Amino acid sequence: SKNAKEILGSVSAPTLGNPNGNVVLVEFLDYQCGHCKKMTSTVKGLIEQNKDLKVMIKELPILGEASTYAAKVALAANQQGKFAEVHTALLNANERLTNENIEKIARDQGVDWSLIQVALQNATIDAELDKVFNIAQQLNIMGTPAFIISDLTGKNNKYFGGAASQEALQQTINTINK
């Protein structure tokens, strides 16, 4: 609750689902995390099931340099309105991520790579990653995925550390939505 304004008030954080939704699912993730990859279909199912669900993605690359590069490319793709496509493709990648295949994955989603390269030089993306790391430290988030489900005020919320069932997440959405 004490970090709600910083977590929920971010206008630069990429979102999925309904951008004006009254229930917010915040997901901290790393594109190389196996559990994050498995949660992709769960989050998609929640979006399909809940028309008022806003999903905020918090990039938390903790599994090495390729994770950091993937997070930066995804945030840069967000500036082109291509976040959802790149995000989903990175999570669905079966091979270990390298800078080369991250670039290929992003290009395959129709991003303008020259604009990605410019965005990667801008301090804005590094600042966003630093902000998310600081929030994660304050919340004692030690791994990915991690989820927070909240109302728009941030006062009514629940935390899930690690993978969770769609049923458990849906139950919390239902409770917060009342």
Side-chain angles (χ1 to χ4, degrees), residues 8 12-13 24 35 38 51 53-54 67 75 143 146 148 167:
L8 302 175
S12 60
V24 183
H35 292 295
K38 289 178 184 163
K51 300 303 176 208
L53 183 65
K54 176 180 182 175
S67 292
L75 289 171
I148 299 169
E167 295 75 24

Side-chain angles (χ1 to χ4, degrees), residues 59-125:
E59 304 286 354
L60 188 61
I62 57 175
L63 298 174
E65 288 180 30
S67 292
T68 301
Y69 189 65
K72 288 180 176 187
V73 168
L75 289 171
N78 190 46
Q79 296 173 3
Q80 295 181 38
K82 292 285 190 178
F83 176 79
E85 296 89 338
V86 172
H87 168 79
T88 302
L90 286 168
L91 285 170
N92 289 330
N94 292 321
E95 68 275 6
R96 186 108 180 113
L97 294 178
T98 63
N99 288 8
E100 294 76 28
N101 63 17
I102 292 166
E103 179 180 342
K104 181 183 181 329
I105 288 166
R107 284 179 182 268
D108 288 349
Q109 303 313 307
V111 301
D112 179 332
W113 189 255
S114 63
L115 292 178
I116 295 285
Q117 289 176 305
V118 169
L120 292 177
Q121 302 306 313
N122 190 319
T124 308
I125 289 175

Side-chain angles (χ1 to χ4, degrees), residues 162-176:
S165 72
Q166 186 166 335
E167 295 75 24
L169 295 170
Q170 183 61 55
Q171 208 170 20
T172 302
I173 290 168
N174 293 344
T175 301
I176 288 176

